[in-house]
Amino acid sequence: MSRHDLEGETLLLTAGPTQEALDPVRYITNRSSGKMGYALAAAAARRGARVILVSGPTHLPPPPEVELIRIRTAVEMREAVMSHLEPATIVIKSAAVADYHVKEVPQQKTKKTAARWTIDLDPTPDILAEVGRNKGSRLLVGFAAETQNLVAEGRRKLETKNCDMVVANLVSQEGTGFESDENEVVLVMRAGGNVALPRNSKSVIAEQILDHVLKLRLARHEAS
Ligand code: C5P
């Protein structure tokens, strides 16, 4: 029996990688299976929330009872997020968005004739920062995949992007993060302090993240 403690909430979630074309046949991407974001979407829907999931390309089946919007690029993800922001009460950005892309993708395949291929990349739109500037009373949760200084980097991201919580995970250790079914994270909280969630399946970690989001939500209701 699942708790229906997220009833009345609308979660806007992003998951998976983005793919940025270099030409019609090649692309760059980030390592991400989408498993953490899909686990969050499934858990939130089970707990009674309306869930809008904006997903990059993954091999995962769509979670039940979730409105799935498939996108490929960071620009498409931004469009989907901004056009669905209005009804959202909670925004969780677990996608591994590519930080750079080719702005004007060539229409023809680049031939393998040159000795070297140099590509100019421009930054992609920072969706989390844009939501942070326009979040109103919404709760905003970002993710930080780091290889060192986990908590300090998480807090820096929380502050620069105006998040209420950042889920930080170390991606340099074996068995957790990326393609794994397990994760081990630290929740960096806006109000100060961190909560370490020991290694567990991504579905249990998803429930624990939602427990903390709900606590923030209830604290805000009480304060208003
Ligand atoms: O700064 P960094 O990219 O490491 O921040 C990670 C967080 O920012 C994640 O929550 C990710 O979904 C989000 N992000 C974004 N738009 C980008 C890059 C990252 O929303 N262009």
Side-chain angles (χ1 to χ4, degrees), residues 14 74 77 93-99 124-129 141-146 156-157 161:
T14 68
M77 179 171 278
K93 289 228 72 241
S94 63
V97 185
D99 291 317
T124 53
D126 190 328
I127 312 163
L128 183 60
V141 179
F143 271 65
E146 304 295 340
R156 188 185 61 77
K157 221 159 270 184
K161 304 195 180 184

Coordinates of all heavy atoms in Angstrom, one line a residue, residues 14 74 77 93-99 124-129 141-146 156-157 161, ligand 1:
T14 N 13.1 16.1 -14.9 CA 13.9 15.8 -16.1 C 14.8 14.6 -15.8 O 15.2 14.4 -14.6 CB 14.7 17.0 -16.5 OG1 15.8 17.2 -15.6 CG2 13.9 18.2 -16.7
A74 N 19.4 19.6 -25.5 CA 19.3 20.6 -24.4 C 18.3 21.7 -24.7 O 17.5 22.1 -23.9 CB 20.6 21.2 -24.0
M77 N 14.9 20.3 -24.4 CA 14.6 20.1 -23.0 C 14.2 21.4 -22.4 O 13.2 21.5 -21.6 CB 15.8 19.5 -22.2 CG 15.4 19.3 -20.7 SD 16.7 18.3 -19.9 CE 16.2 16.6 -20.3
K93 N 15.4 18.4 -11.3 CA 16.2 18.3 -12.5 C 17.3 17.3 -12.4 O 18.4 17.6 -12.0 CB 16.8 19.7 -12.8 CG 15.8 20.7 -13.3 CD 16.2 21.5 -14.5 CE 16.1 20.6 -15.8 NZ 17.3 20.4 -16.5
S94 N 17.0 16.0 -12.7 CA 18.0 15.0 -12.5 C 18.6 14.6 -13.8 O 19.5 13.7 -13.9 CB 17.3 13.7 -11.9 OG 16.3 13.2 -12.7
A95 N 18.3 15.3 -14.9 CA 18.9 15.0 -16.2 C 20.4 15.4 -16.2 O 20.8 16.3 -15.6 CB 18.2 15.8 -17.3
A96 N 21.1 14.6 -17.0 CA 22.5 15.0 -17.3 C 22.6 15.8 -18.6 O 22.8 15.2 -19.7 CB 23.4 13.7 -17.4
V97 N 22.3 17.0 -18.5 CA 22.2 17.9 -19.7 C 23.6 18.1 -20.3 O 24.5 18.4 -19.5 CB 21.5 19.2 -19.4 CG1 21.3 20.0 -20.6 CG2 20.3 19.0 -18.6
A98 N 23.8 18.0 -21.6 CA 25.1 18.3 -22.2 C 25.4 19.8 -21.9 O 24.5 20.7 -22.1 CB 25.1 18.0 -23.6
D99 N 26.6 20.1 -21.6 CA 26.9 21.6 -21.3 C 27.3 22.3 -22.5 O 27.3 23.5 -22.5 CB 28.1 21.6 -20.3 CG 27.6 21.1 -18.9 OD1 26.5 21.5 -18.5 OD2 28.3 20.3 -18.3
T124 N 25.3 25.2 -23.8 CA 23.8 25.0 -23.9 C 23.1 25.9 -22.9 O 23.7 26.4 -22.0 CB 23.4 23.6 -23.6 OG1 24.0 23.2 -22.3 CG2 24.0 22.6 -24.6
P125 N 21.8 26.2 -23.1 CA 21.1 27.0 -22.1 C 21.1 26.3 -20.7 O 20.9 25.0 -20.7 CB 19.7 27.0 -22.6 CG 19.5 26.0 -23.6 CD 20.9 25.7 -24.2
D126 N 21.4 27.0 -19.7 CA 21.4 26.4 -18.3 C 19.9 26.4 -17.8 O 19.5 27.4 -17.3 CB 22.3 27.1 -17.4 CG 22.5 26.4 -16.1 OD1 21.6 25.7 -15.6 OD2 23.6 26.5 -15.5
I127 N 19.3 25.3 -17.9 CA 17.8 25.2 -17.6 C 17.6 25.4 -16.1 O 16.7 26.1 -15.7 CB 17.2 23.9 -18.1 CG1 17.7 23.6 -19.6 CG2 15.7 23.9 -18.0 CD1 17.5 22.2 -20.0
L128 N 18.4 24.7 -15.3 CA 18.3 24.8 -13.9 C 18.4 26.3 -13.4 O 17.6 26.7 -12.6 CB 19.3 23.9 -13.2 CG 19.3 23.8 -11.7 CD1 17.9 23.2 -11.2 CD2 20.4 23.0 -11.2
A129 N 19.4 27.0 -13.9 CA 19.5 28.4 -13.5 C 18.3 29.2 -13.9 O 17.9 30.1 -13.2 CB 20.8 28.9 -14.1
V141 N 14.8 21.3 -7.0 CA 15.8 20.4 -6.6 C 16.7 20.1 -7.8 O 16.3 19.8 -8.9 CB 15.2 19.0 -6.2 CG1 16.3 18.0 -5.8 CG2 14.2 19.2 -5.1
G142 N 18.0 20.3 -7.6 CA 19.0 20.1 -8.7 C 19.9 18.9 -8.3 O 19.8 18.4 -7.2
F143 N 20.6 18.4 -9.3 CA 21.5 17.2 -9.1 C 22.9 17.7 -9.4 O 23.1 18.6 -10.2 CB 21.1 16.1 -10.0 CG 20.1 15.1 -9.4 CD1 18.8 15.5 -9.1 CD2 20.5 13.8 -9.1 CE1 17.9 14.7 -8.6 CE2 19.6 13.0 -8.5 CZ 18.3 13.4 -8.3
A144 N 23.9 17.1 -8.7 CA 25.3 17.4 -8.9 C 26.1 16.1 -9.0 O 26.2 15.5 -7.9 CB 25.8 18.4 -7.9
A145 N 26.5 15.8 -10.1 CA 27.4 14.6 -10.2 C 28.8 15.1 -10.2 O 29.2 15.8 -11.1 CB 27.1 13.8 -11.5
E146 N 29.6 14.7 -9.2 CA 30.9 15.3 -9.0 C 31.9 14.1 -8.9 O 31.6 13.0 -8.5 CB 31.0 16.1 -7.8 CG 30.0 17.3 -7.7 CD 30.2 18.3 -8.8 OE1 31.3 18.4 -9.3 OE2 29.2 19.1 -9.1
R156 N 27.7 25.0 -3.7 CA 27.9 26.1 -4.7 C 26.8 26.1 -5.7 O 26.3 27.1 -6.1 CB 29.3 25.9 -5.4 CG 29.7 27.0 -6.3 CD 31.0 26.7 -7.0 NE 30.9 25.5 -7.9 CZ 30.3 25.5 -9.1 NH1 29.7 26.7 -9.5 NH2 30.1 24.4 -9.8
K157 N 26.4 24.9 -6.2 CA 25.4 24.8 -7.2 C 24.0 25.2 -6.6 O 23.3 26.0 -7.3 CB 25.3 23.3 -7.7 CG 25.1 23.2 -9.1 CD 25.5 21.8 -9.6 CE 26.9 21.8 -10.0 NZ 27.3 20.5 -10.6
K161 N 22.3 28.5 -8.4 CA 21.1 28.2 -9.2 C 19.8 28.3 -8.4 O 18.8 27.9 -8.9 CB 21.3 26.8 -9.8 CG 22.6 26.7 -10.7 CD 22.7 25.6 -11.6 CE 24.1 25.7 -12.3 NZ 24.2 24.7 -13.3
Ligands
C5P1 O1 26.3 22.7 -13.3 P1 25.9 21.3 -13.6 O2 25.6 21.0 -15.0 O3 26.8 20.2 -13.1 O4 24.5 21.1 -12.8 C1 23.8 20.0 -12.8 C2 22.4 20.3 -12.6 O5 22.0 21.3 -13.5 C3 21.5 19.1 -12.9 O6 20.4 19.3 -12.0 C4 21.1 19.3 -14.3 O7 19.9 18.7 -14.7 C5 21.1 20.8 -14.5 N1 21.5 21.3 -15.8 C6 20.5 22.1 -16.5 N2 20.9 22.7 -17.7 C7 22.2 22.5 -18.2 C8 23.1 21.8 -17.4 C9 22.7 21.2 -16.2 O8 19.4 22.2 -16.1 N3 22.5 23.1 -19.3

